[in-house]
């Protein structure tokens, strides 16, 4: 992973008092807070109800910029190891909270660092399904399919926390007893598990909850590597496939190395299996295993509600030059035949994308450890990877000889993908490597799901 910088929360600013919803909306958009749906919330509150004035909403939102931190598994790893790509909101007001406040005609509340919340503060199943055209598919599809989550170390509360999440949202039980949930080590043992780790537990809760939200009928297999080494995580991927998973999500990454091509064939080359990998959370630059030619590299967006026909809009997730979705041209991995962008001679990241901005993040329940016990909002491309793996699962079992990373390219430029055309994740010499545009670009690939068509063979 690239050289770290201190965590950089959304920068606070001062606001003049605004006398109308239109003025509030315009000022918020100019200031750059559109990614957290501040403008939508301000306008909706003032126009849909009259319980709170636009002036009051603007004043509240001005104080409510989201702060977040890397999960405890997100520290820059040494060579040969990976870090998770999860970011936990510790303060401010999320897009979901602002929308709920607007609907009720009240001023938004704020997240308090490390405080357990009695209800979610991020997007839940209905939001994710609505945003990506999955509502009908999520109700009808996924039975008999298994989405595997690969992470490091043990989350002792994984099953109990999953039960809390699913119960809150009215999803069916997913337990060891009914065969829906299974947790194993990288060797497949259900009893000899790795040592527990609270940072990775947050990552595992995020992954399990996003799968539940996107494909509630899917079975879930959690494979826990004994450490965050590339070799152990890769061994866990192999175990997931050995146990029958046709969809495997990897929400971790590290620096590229000359060993990556051997890791490709040892761990990630599985025909007939959709393997997804997070593009990274440190802005422009390539990570592995997202750079593997055998995985679907998943970038990140900021997702907010909109008055357009879709009801949602997205832009490249970027908080600063060193915080945002990853992208880039691999230094080592060969370009797959189905990837044809002109300026990168090797593998280009990403292929597709989904929500990752912590300010527009997803709801997660995690009770293990002291860092944010209870309901939290998480972002990072650790959210977008399991989401895309679950979309593949909703679309059905891949062809036995296929590498499903190719599937979205067959639908490129069609209505099966929401083309993300605004924002960037840093500065680069070749514009599309780091800047969104019509058609393919590095930060968001060909776009985000609109139904299942782009994820079928």
């Amino acid at each position: 992973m690239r050289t770290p910088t201190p965590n950089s929360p959304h920068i606070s600013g001062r606001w003049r008092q605004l006398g109308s919803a239109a003025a509030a909306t315009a000022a918020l958009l100019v200031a750059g807070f559109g990614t957290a749906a501040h403008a939508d919330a301000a306008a909706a509150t003032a126009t849909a109800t009259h319980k709170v004035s636009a002036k009051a909403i603007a004043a509240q939102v001005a104080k409510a910029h989201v702060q977040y931190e890397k999960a405890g598994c997100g520290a820059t790893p040494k060579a040969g190891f990976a870090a998770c790509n999860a970011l936990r909101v510790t303060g401010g007001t999320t897009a979901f909270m602002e929308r709920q406040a607007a609907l009720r005609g009240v001023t938004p509340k704020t997240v308090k660092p490390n405080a357990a919340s009695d209800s979610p503060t991020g997007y839940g199943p209905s939001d994710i399904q609505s945003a990506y055209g999955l509502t009908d598919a999520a109700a009808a599809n996924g039975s008999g399919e298994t989405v595997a989550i690969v992470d490091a170390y043990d989350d002792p509360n994984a099953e109990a926390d999953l039960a809390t999440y699913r119960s809150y949202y009215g999803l069916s039980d997913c337990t060891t007893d009914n065969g829906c949930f299974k947790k194993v080590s990288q060797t497949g043992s259900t009893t000899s598990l790795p040592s527990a780790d609270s940072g990775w537990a947050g990552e595992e809760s995020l992954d399990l909850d996003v799968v539940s939200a996107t494909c509630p009928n899917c079975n879930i297999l959690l494979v826990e590597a004994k450490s965050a080494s590339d070799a152990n995580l890769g061994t866990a991927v192999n175990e997931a496939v050995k146990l029958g998973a046709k969809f495997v999500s990897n929400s971790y990454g590290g620096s590229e190395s000359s060993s990556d091509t051997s890791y490709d064939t040892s761990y990630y080359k599985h025909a007939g299996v959709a393997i997804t990998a997070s593009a990274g959370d440190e802005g422009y630059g390539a990570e592995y295993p997202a750079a593997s030619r055998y995985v679907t590299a998943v970038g990140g967006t900021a997702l907010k509600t909109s008055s357009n026909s879709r009801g949602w809009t997205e832009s490249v997730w970027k908080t600063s030059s060193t915080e945002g979705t990853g992208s880039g041209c691999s230094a080592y991995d060969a370009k797959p035949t189905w990837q044809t962008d002109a300026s990168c001679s090797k593998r280009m990241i990403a292929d597709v994308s989904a929500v990752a901005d912590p300010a527009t993040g997803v709801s997660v329940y995690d009770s293990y450890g002291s860092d944010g016990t209870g309901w939290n909002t998480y972002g990072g491309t650790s959210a977008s990877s399991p989401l895309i793996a679950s979309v593949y699962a909703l679309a059905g079992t891949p062809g036995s000889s296929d590498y499903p990373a190719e599937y979205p390219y067959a639908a490129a430029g069609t209505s099966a993908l929401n083309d993300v055309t605004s924002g960037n994740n840093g500065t680069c010499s070749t514009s599309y490597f780091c800047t969104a545009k019509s058609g393919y670009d590095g930060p968001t690939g060909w776009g985000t799901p609109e139904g299942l068509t782009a994820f079928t063979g």
Side-chain angles (χ1 to χ4, degrees):
M1 193 165 288
R2 296 171 299 285
T3 304
T5 57
N7 289 342
S8 303
H10 286 267
I11 299 170
S12 298
R14 294 188 177 183
W15 295 77
R16 294 191 298 272
Q17 292 184 333
L18 303 174
S20 70
T25 301
L28 290 167
L29 287 172
V30 168
F33 297 119
T35 57
H38 293 105
D40 285 351
T45 303
T47 57
T49 75
H50 298 284
K51 298 177 183 178
V52 180
S53 69
K55 182 188 297 184
I57 291 294
Q60 178 72 14
V61 167
K63 301 175 182 178
H65 318 319
V66 171
Q67 296 100 43
Y68 54 84
E69 65 184 11
K70 290 183 179 180
C73 50
T76 302
K78 61 184 179 181
F81 284 74
C84 69
N85 287 307
L87 301 168
R88 188 177 68 86
V89 172
T90 59
T93 303
T94 67
F96 173 81
M97 295 168 72
E98 290 169 7
R99 188 184 68 187
Q100 294 302 105
L103 291 172
R104 297 187 180 103
V106 298
T107 54
K109 295 181 179 179
T110 60
V111 174
K112 296 180 180 179
N114 300 320
S117 173
D118 60 1
S119 61
T121 55
Y123 290 143
S126 63
D127 301 303
I128 291 171
Q129 294 167 24
S130 169
Y132 296 118
L134 302 172
T135 302
D136 291 343
N141 298 5
S143 296
E145 304 288 8
T146 296
V147 178
I149 296 299
V150 171
D151 284 313
Y153 302 104
D154 181 39
D155 176 4
N157 297 357
E159 184 170 359
D161 289 349
L162 178 64
T164 298
Y165 180 92
R166 294 179 71 100
S167 175
Y168 181 91
Y169 287 110
L171 306 179
S172 60
D173 291 342
C174 189
T175 66
T176 301
D177 288 345
N178 69 13
C180 175
F181 177 74
K182 186 174 185 179
K183 181 174 75 170
V184 300
S185 71
Q186 70 184 56
T187 64
S189 174
T190 59
T191 55
S192 180
L193 298 170
S195 59
D197 182 277
S198 62
W200 280 95
E203 170 67 62
E204 291 174 39
S205 291
L206 166 60
D207 294 339
L208 297 175
D209 291 353
V210 170
V211 173
S212 295
T214 311
C215 186
N217 295 326
C218 283
N219 295 332
I220 305 176
L221 170 66
L222 174 59
V223 186
E224 298 177 329
K226 66 180 180 181
S227 79
S229 74
D230 294 335
N232 285 325
L233 288 164
T235 298
V237 172
N238 287 344
E239 186 63 27
V241 176
K242 177 183 175 182
L243 292 174
K246 298 298 183 182
F247 315 94
V248 183
S249 174
N250 305 278
S251 292
Y252 55 82
S255 298
E256 292 192 286
S257 78
S258 58
S259 300
D260 291 351
T261 53
S262 64
Y263 290 155
D264 280 353
T265 54
S266 296
Y267 304 127
Y268 297 100
K269 185 180 181 181
H270 293 284
V273 181
I275 301 177
T276 63
S278 300
D281 294 347
E282 296 184 350
Y284 173 65
E287 283 193 3
Y288 190 85
S292 171
R293 62 188 299 183
Y294 299 111
V295 312
T296 300
V298 186
T301 67
L303 173 71
K304 62 174 182 173
T305 55
S306 172
S307 60
N308 62 19
S309 58
R310 178 187 170 194
W312 300 84
T313 187
E314 290 174 277
S315 59
V316 175
W317 164 45
K318 175 188 175 184
T319 302
S320 71
S321 61
T322 55
E323 289 185 343
T325 183
S327 71
C329 182
S330 174
Y332 301 100
D333 263 79
K335 199 174 198 68
T337 57
W338 38 262
Q339 195 173 54
T340 59
D341 61 292
S343 298
C344 174
S345 62
K346 294 189 180 296
R347 169 71 159 120
M348 186 69 194
I349 302 168
D351 298 311
V352 292
S353 51
V355 61
D357 187 345
T360 68
V362 298
S363 175
V364 174
Y365 189 84
D366 174 34
S367 70
Y368 185 70
S370 59
D371 51 343
T373 299
W375 288 102
N376 293 272
T377 294
Y378 272 83
T381 51
S382 279
S384 54
S385 177
L387 195 159
I388 294 298
S390 301
V391 176
Y392 274 113
L394 288 171
T397 305
S400 61
S401 61
D402 293 353
Y403 290 97
E406 183 176 2
Y407 291 174
Y409 287 75
T414 73
S415 59
L417 292 160
N418 301 302
D419 192 8
V420 180
T421 59
S422 63
N424 68 79
N425 64 346
T427 302
C428 56
S429 58
T430 303
S431 178
Y432 79 88
F433 285 14
C434 65
T435 302
K437 69 179 188 65
S438 179
Y440 181 83
D441 57 73
T444 66
W446 283 108
T448 64
E450 185 58 44
L452 304 179
T453 304
F455 299 87
T456 59

